[in-house]
Structures are given as C-alpha cells and as structure tokens.
Amino acid sequence: MAKHEPNRIRVPVERAIRECRLYVQGKQYPGQANYITALKDIEELSDGTSQDFVMVTLEEPSEEQMLRVAQRYGVDELIVEDAVNAHQRAKVERYEDQLFSVIRSVQYADNQDIIDRRDIIQTGEVQMVIGRKFIIVISHGTDLPNPEMRLHQAPELRSKGPLSIAWAISDYLVDEYTRIAEQLETRVDDLEEEVFTLRDEFDIENIYTLKREILEMRHAIDPLIPALRALIQNHKDLTSKQIRAFFRDVLDHAMLAKDKIDSFDERLSSLIQAGSAIISLRQNQDMRTISAVVGMAAAPTMIAGVYGMNFENMPELQWHYAYYVCLAAMVGVVALMWWWFKHNNWL
C-alpha cells in the first residue's frame, strides 16, 4: 500500500511579502506591484535610459515561500537556504551577477533598568539579494527602515539601480550602531562613577550584564567591516564609482561604531577588575570589623567565665565590692580594645 505524505498547510507567499514596489527613472512608482508580474511590468515601464528595478520585501519567509520568490526572480538556490536561516554573520557573497548581503540590526532597550532587564541589546537580521533588475530584502526579528527617507537625502543615487536601496538600508542600520554606541557610553560612564565612588554600594552583576550585551553588539558589528570592504573592492563590475563612495561612508561609520564598542568592552573589563578588588577590600574590612567585635566580646566573657567557676578559695570572691570592680574591669578592657581597633581602622 502506498504511503501518503501528511498534509501540510501551505501559507501563500503574499503572507510573507510586506512590499513590492517598482522604481522607474529613480522614482518609486505609485501603488503596490504583484511580485509575479513585477519584472514584466518594469520592462514595460522602462525606457532604457535608467536602471529601473523591482524591490520586494519579505518578513521571515518559510523555505517554500522563499523558494517560490527565488524561482520567479532567478535567485540561486544556495541563497534561498541562507535567506531562510537567520542568525548569520554579516557578509557579502557573490553568485554570478547577484550579490547576497547580510547585516545584523541592533536595538537598544533603554526603557528598563539594567537590573530588571537582561536583554539590553537585541539583534535582528536583514538580508538582501541584489540583482541587476531587482532587490529582495528579507527581515528576521527586526523592522525594515523606509529606504525612501535615505534616498531623499541622496537623490543622486536614485538612478543607480537596486544598490541604492541596499545602501539606504545599510546606512540606516549602521547609523543605529553609532546612535546606540552613544547611549552605551552614558551607561558605561555611570557605572564607572558608581564603582569609583567608594561611599556608594554597587552591584558588580550590572557590569557583567552590560559587558555581555556589548559582546553581543560586537558580534553584530565586527564581521560587517570586512564584508563592506569586500563589497567596495571586489565587485567593481556590479557597483558604480558613486555607489562605492557612498558605501565607503557606511564603512567609515561602522568602523567608528566598532572602535567605540571595543573601547567600552575594555573599560568594562577594567571595571570588573577594579570592582572585584574593591569588593575584596570591603570584605577584608568586614572581616576585621567582625574580628574586632568578637575580640571585644571575648575579654569580658573570659573574666565572667573565670569568676563563674564554683571554687571556694578564689581571690576577692568574698570581697564586698568585687562585683562592681569586675564590671568596671570588663568595661575598661572593652573600651581600651575599642580605642585600639578604632585607631587602627578596624572599626
């Protein structure tokens, strides 16, 4: 008897598509397009004088959804596998006349106290498949920026084809790195002041938590530097001189953010060492204080213990004022020990 595969619910591709736009003569064509007919539509609208293209944005597509889009746009099957699997390092790879780019997005949760929140830095992923007539943008765990806002600031790129969209998205994400780095600098400064203000108590766990989150951000930024260099230097036949110049500016901003994050990591490592040393000193001080208190209690205890023994022939046992002298001796010894410990900073 033949075996039948279990029925699977097929989710339409349209459920994963957030936008499908046509760019004609450097301008976004009004209205949404159909991803199936978009390439044909762009051919009909293009007059051949500009690099007209299609932009398709997807949000966490399934393998089947991504495969159907890839078949429609002639995307390499190896790209499909990478596009479905998130949590990749930043990279730029070439497949014949197509580029596949991955950039990690970073979000900073500054509305919660560091003690109450463990995910200060949250990362997502933006993938871009760039062809000569199209760009497919896939988001995983992040909101996609509107490229029109960036292209409005650089209108000369509007006629440079799909790479103009890739630049707009990359520039936005890298600018977020810089903005978050500035906010983290304030956080690190506050921790330094907290640690080195000796009169204040501090929780060293806060430093460990922030260091862990900064390491997460380093994992997002560090691989992007060689990826951007590869895009600028190794694919000149697919990128114009002007596009490379704009991506070089993105690279500069990424390197600036990387330098800041690296410095924060080093400062936090120093803070951990300093904090551990301060905690150790405070623990030693606490032990000395405890020892001093125990020492002061030991002297009267010893005197009381001696005169509490049930012997008949003991000096001053029958003396009328022995009780008061004994109490005075206890107080005097404790006072003397207190002065000595205080003089030596044990109390």
Side-chain angles (χ1 to χ4, degrees):
M1 184 171 59
K3 294 182 179 180
H4 297 281
E5 293 184 358
N7 293 328
R8 296 180 180 178
I9 300 177
R10 293 188 174 183
V11 180
V13 181
E14 288 77 9
R15 294 285 295 274
I17 294 178
R18 290 295 170 261
E19 262 192 318
C20 183
R21 297 280 190 176
L22 305 180
Y23 279 80
V24 181
Q25 295 183 359
K27 297 181 179 180
Q28 191 180 89
Y29 198 75
Q32 296 280 346
N34 189 319
Y35 84 99
I36 297 176
T37 61
L39 286 176
K40 182 180 178 181
D41 294 340
I42 205 71
E43 290 292 340
E44 295 176 353
L45 293 172
S46 178
D47 59 2
T49 60
S50 60
Q51 299 184 40
D52 303 329
F53 63 94
V54 179
M55 181 186 73
V56 181
T57 60
L58 305 172
E59 184 176 352
E60 298 184 3
S62 66
E63 185 175 357
E64 181 182 357
Q65 291 170 331
M66 188 64 208
L67 187 59
R68 291 179 63 182
V69 174
Q71 290 173 346
R72 182 64 57 179
Y73 289 85
V75 177
D76 194 287
E77 292 183 1
L78 295 176
I79 296 181
V80 174
E81 183 179 353
D82 285 347
V84 173
N85 298 323
H87 307 294
Q88 299 187 52
R89 291 166 60 89
K91 62 181 180 179
V92 173
E93 295 178 345
R94 180 169 181 171
Y95 297 84
E96 295 183 358
D97 62 343
Q98 296 176 2
L99 293 175
F100 178 63
S101 171
V102 177
I103 299 181
R104 303 286 296 178
S105 66
V106 177
Q107 296 176 329
Y108 177 60
D110 58 351
N111 59 340
Q112 295 283 345
D113 190 82
I114 188 171
I115 299 177
D116 300 327
R117 189 178 181 90
R118 292 295 179 260
D119 294 328
I120 304 169
I121 300 294
Q122 298 175 331
T123 59
E125 191 171 312
V126 177
Q127 304 165 341
M128 292 177 283
V129 186
I130 307 163
R132 295 190 181 276
K133 290 290 184 180
F134 67 88
I135 178 170
I136 302 173
V137 185
I138 307 107
S139 66
H140 292 275
T142 186
D143 295 329
L144 288 174
N146 183 4
E148 280 296 303
M149 297 179 62
R150 293 282 160 161
L151 291 177
H152 181 72
Q153 301 172 5
E156 62 271 25
L157 290 186
R158 287 185 172 273
S159 60
K160 300 302 179 181
L163 278 168
S164 62
I165 300 294
W167 167 82
I169 294 175
S170 302
D171 189 55
Y172 172 84
L173 295 176
V174 171
D175 279 355
E176 282 295 292
Y177 296 166
T178 305
R179 184 184 65 84
I180 292 172
E182 292 175 353
Q183 292 179 304
L184 287 174
E185 185 173 12
T186 302
R187 177 81 70 160
V188 174
D189 290 342
D190 291 342
L191 283 175
E192 283 183 334
E193 183 176 358
E194 184 179 342
V195 169
F196 292 111
T197 302
L198 299 180
R199 64 179 180 276
D200 292 336
E201 294 294 331
F202 69 92
D203 189 351
I204 198 170
E205 184 181 353
N206 294 350
I207 307 175
Y208 281 109
T209 301
L210 187 58
K211 183 174 176 64
R212 183 191 64 189
E213 299 302 324
I214 283 181
L215 285 176
E216 181 73 17
M217 192 168 178
R218 286 189 65 178
H219 293 159
I221 299 177
D222 288 358
L224 181 61
I225 306 300
L228 289 174
R229 286 200 181 106
L231 176 63
I232 295 169
Q233 299 173 2
N234 301 339
H235 308 292
K236 294 183 178 180
D237 58 321
L238 297 180
T239 59
S240 66
K241 184 177 180 181
Q242 194 171 25
I243 283 287
R244 292 197 298 273
F246 275 81
F247 269 105
R248 195 171 292 110
D249 181 66
V250 176
L251 174 60
D252 291 341
H253 289 175
M255 292 177 64
L256 178 62
K258 179 183 182 301
D259 291 341
K260 285 188 175 182
I261 295 301
D262 289 347
S263 69
F264 298 158
D265 191 23
E266 293 175 0
R267 288 168 64 185
L268 288 176
S269 296
S270 300
L271 277 182
I272 290 174
Q273 295 177 359
S276 299
I278 292 172
I279 290 174
S280 179
L281 289 173
R282 288 179 178 176
Q283 289 176 342
N284 291 338
Q285 179 66 35
D286 293 340
M287 290 302 299
R288 289 194 300 181
T289 301
I290 294 172
S291 299
V293 172
V294 171
M296 287 188 297
T301 301
M302 182 187 68
I303 297 173
V306 170
Y307 280 91
M309 294 185 292
N310 297 321
F311 293 107
E312 292 184 0
N313 298 317
M314 291 184 66
E316 294 87 26
L317 189 62
Q318 303 299 324
W319 189 26
H320 181 72
Y321 298 102
Y323 173 73
Y324 302 104
V325 172
C326 187
L327 287 181
M330 290 181 184
V331 172
V333 170
V334 171
L336 181 63
M337 295 181 69
W338 179 88
W339 173 83
W340 189 85
F341 288 133
K342 192 72 174 178
H343 180 72
N344 289 277
N345 295 320
W346 280 46
L347 290 174

